[in-house]
């Protein structure tokens, strides 16, 4: 088994017809601003585990 740790977050928002209209990718350590979505928050990623 090979495990590659990229240290990235993938967020998919704005669902429609079984798919998502927007995909956002950020590196760990970058805040994800989700204030324009249903959950309306800023997600901090600086302490996400990498393994």
């Amino acid at each position: 088994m090979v495990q590659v740790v990229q240290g990235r977050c993938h967020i998919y928002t704005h669902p429609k017809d079984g798919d998502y209209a927007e995909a956002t990718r950020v590196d760990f350590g970058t805040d994800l601003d989700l204030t324009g979505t249903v959950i309306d928050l800023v997600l901090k990623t600086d302490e996400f585990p990498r393994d």
Side-chain angles (χ1 to χ4, degrees):
M1 178 173 131
V2 176
Q3 181 179 10
V4 178
V5 180
Q6 295 180 345
R8 289 192 190 120
C9 297
H10 298 260
I11 303 294
Y12 300 92
T13 58
H14 300 88
K16 183 177 181 180
D17 298 327
D19 202 2
Y20 292 93
E22 287 189 36
T24 303
R25 182 179 69 189
V26 299
D27 292 333
F28 285 5
T30 304
D31 291 350
L32 281 168
D33 184 357
L34 301 171
T35 54
T37 68
V38 174
I39 59 174
D40 195 35
L41 61 79
V42 174
L43 180 64
K44 297 199 171 285
T45 66
D46 56 340
E47 294 186 19
F48 281 14
R50 293 180 181 254
D51 54 344

